């Protein structure tokens, strides 16, 4: 499929399912291992590791949000493919559960001096919980702004 010069195709895949396959996207932001990456149509080709955080895309002034963790991204001038280890659409995330996971991870990290704490695992849990909460909050803010403008 050939995209218009000012649009691109975005595909978001996990090992078990296709979360997103969308044409006509005007911009995309995702976390990499070295910071956030912003992609507009015509971006230079590249491959990079995907970090833990929020994917944001815009299509026709509508935004969507996903929480992702790990994987690889391939960018061409007309498409972006994100092959992620874990991905969740913001609308499917249980906010209360994410907040409880954040509290558990913070508690483990606070108790790391006591030993018996896998610090790397606790830090990973913390980052994933923070990303889930951020995705839900971004989605909620987008919806509240849309309702106010109607």
């Amino acid at each position: 499929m050939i995209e218009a010069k000012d649009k691109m195709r975005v595909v978001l895949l996990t090992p078990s399912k296709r979360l997103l396959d969308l044409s006509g996207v005007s911009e995309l932001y995702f976390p990499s291992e070295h910071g956030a990456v912003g992609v507009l149509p015509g971006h230079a080709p590249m491959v990079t590791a995907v970090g833990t955080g929020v994917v944001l895309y815009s299509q026709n002034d509508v935004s969507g949000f996903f929480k992702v963790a790990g994987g690889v991204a391939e960018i061409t001038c007309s498409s972006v493919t994100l092959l992620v280890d874990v991905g969740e659409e913001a609308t499917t995330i249980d906010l209360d559960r994410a907040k409880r996971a954040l509290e558990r991870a913070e508690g483990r990290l606070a108790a790391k001096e006591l030993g018996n704490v896998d610090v790397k695992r606790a830090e990973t849990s913390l980052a994933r919980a923070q990303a889930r909460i951020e995705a839900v909050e971004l989605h909620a803010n987008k919806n509240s702004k849309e309702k106010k403008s109607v």
Side-chain angles (χ1 to χ4, degrees):
M1 174 184 294
I2 298 174
E3 288 293 325
K5 289 188 181 234
D6 61 339
K7 303 292 181 188
M8 61 188 164
R9 179 177 179 207
V10 175
V11 179
L12 177 58
L13 303 165
T14 69
S16 61
K17 70 186 203 179
R18 181 180 303 258
L19 294 173
L20 182 69
D21 189 343
L22 193 60
S23 294
V25 174
S26 57
E27 62 184 325
L28 172 79
Y29 300 92
F30 67 91
S32 79
E33 290 291 318
H34 304 289
V37 175
V39 183
L40 299 173
H43 194 286
M46 71 182 247
V47 174
T48 188
V50 175
T52 298
V54 177
V55 170
L56 176 151
Y57 68 87
S58 294
Q59 178 198 41
N60 300 326
D61 296 324
V62 175
S63 298
F65 306 92
F66 288 84
K67 174 265 176 186
V68 296
V72 65
E74 177 189 34
I75 301 169
T76 69
C77 64
S78 62
S79 68
V80 178
T81 302
L82 299 166
L83 305 169
V84 299
D85 298 332
V86 180
E88 300 170 89
E89 187 171 7
T91 58
T92 66
I93 295 170
D94 181 336
L95 183 58
D96 290 332
R97 183 176 176 214
K99 287 179 178 179
R100 289 191 306 270
L102 179 67
E103 289 172 5
R104 283 192 307 274
E106 289 173 336
R108 285 188 201 114
L109 288 172
K112 68 183 175 186
E113 291 80 26
L114 302 176
N116 282 348
V117 174
D118 184 342
V119 175
K120 182 68 175 164
R121 184 174 175 199
E123 289 172 343
T124 301
S125 296
L126 181 77
R128 287 183 178 181
Q130 288 171 328
R132 283 184 179 105
I133 293 166
E134 182 181 1
V136 170
E137 289 175 346
L138 287 169
H139 176 74
N141 288 340
K142 173 197 74 135
N143 284 340
S144 68
K145 287 178 186 175
E146 287 175 1
K147 288 176 184 174
K148 287 178 184 176
S149 66
V150 173

